[in-house]
C-alpha cells in the first residue's frame, strides 16, 4: 500500500456552501482508505470566501493556518487567525470561517471521521 500522496494526487472537492474556495482532500476513505480521519488543504480567496456556520456532529476538527488571515470561531466567539495559529473545534460545536482580508488564506484541516458524511456535516445558518 502506498502511504504517500502528492498534492496533485489529492481529490479536488468543493466545499459545500462556500464559493471561491478550493479544498484538496489528501487523506480520507476514498484517497487512502482511512477509517478515522480526513486531512485536507484549503485555499480561501481574498475578500470573497465565507464558509457558513456548520457542525460536524460526529467529529472533532483541527484547523491550522499556513498563510494569510481569516476570521473563525466556535459558537459566538470570533477571532482572527494568522500563520501558525491552530483552532480546535469540539465534536458538534457550531463554527465557521471567512476571509474578509486582502490576501488569500491557506490552511490545513483534519477531522476525526473519514468523510464529510461520516462526520455528520450540517449547516446551521
Amino acid at each position: 500500500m502506498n502511504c504517500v500522496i502528492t498534492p496533485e494526487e489529492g481529490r479536488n472537492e468543493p466545499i459545500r456552501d462556500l464559493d471561491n474556495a478550493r479544498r484538496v482532500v489528501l487523506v480520507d476513505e476514498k484517497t487512502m482508505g482511512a477509517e478515522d480521519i480526513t486531512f485536507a488543504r484549503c485555499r480561501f480567496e481574498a475578500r470573497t470566501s465565507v464558509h457558513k456556520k456548520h457542525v460536524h456532529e460526529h467529529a472533532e476538527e483541527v484547523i491550522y493556518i499556513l498563510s494569510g488571515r481569516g476570521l473563525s470561531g466556535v459558537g459566538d466567539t470570533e477571532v482572527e487567525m494568522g500563520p501558525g495559529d491552530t483552532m480546535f473545534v469540539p465534536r458538534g460545536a457550531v463554527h465557521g470561517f471567512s476571509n474578509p482580508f486582502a490576501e488569500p488564506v491557506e490552511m490545513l484541516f483534519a477531522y476525526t471521521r473519514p468523510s464529510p458524511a461520516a462526520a455528520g456535516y450540517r449547516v446551521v445558518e
Side-chain angles (χ1 to χ4, degrees), residues 77-95:
T77 302
E78 186 172 72
V79 297
E80 183 176 318
M81 295 180 69
D85 289 343
T86 300
M87 178 171 283
F88 171 71
V89 181
R91 183 173 308 185
V94 175
H95 60 289

Side-chain angles (χ1 to χ4, degrees), residues 19-65:
D19 294 326
N20 212 18
R22 181 169 187 253
R23 171 174 57 186
V24 176
V25 177
L26 299 165
V27 176
D28 71 351
E29 63 188 2
K30 291 179 184 174
T31 60
M32 302 293 278
E35 296 178 10
D36 297 312
I37 193 167
T38 296
F39 178 74
R41 184 174 183 139
C42 295
R43 179 182 172 97
F44 289 71
E45 296 302 332
R47 294 191 180 108
T48 59
S49 298
V50 176
H51 194 169
K52 294 178 182 177
K53 289 191 176 187
H54 61 283
V55 298
H56 305 272
E57 295 287 347
H58 311 296
E60 297 173 324
E61 182 175 15
V62 175
I63 299 165
Y64 179 82
I65 305 298

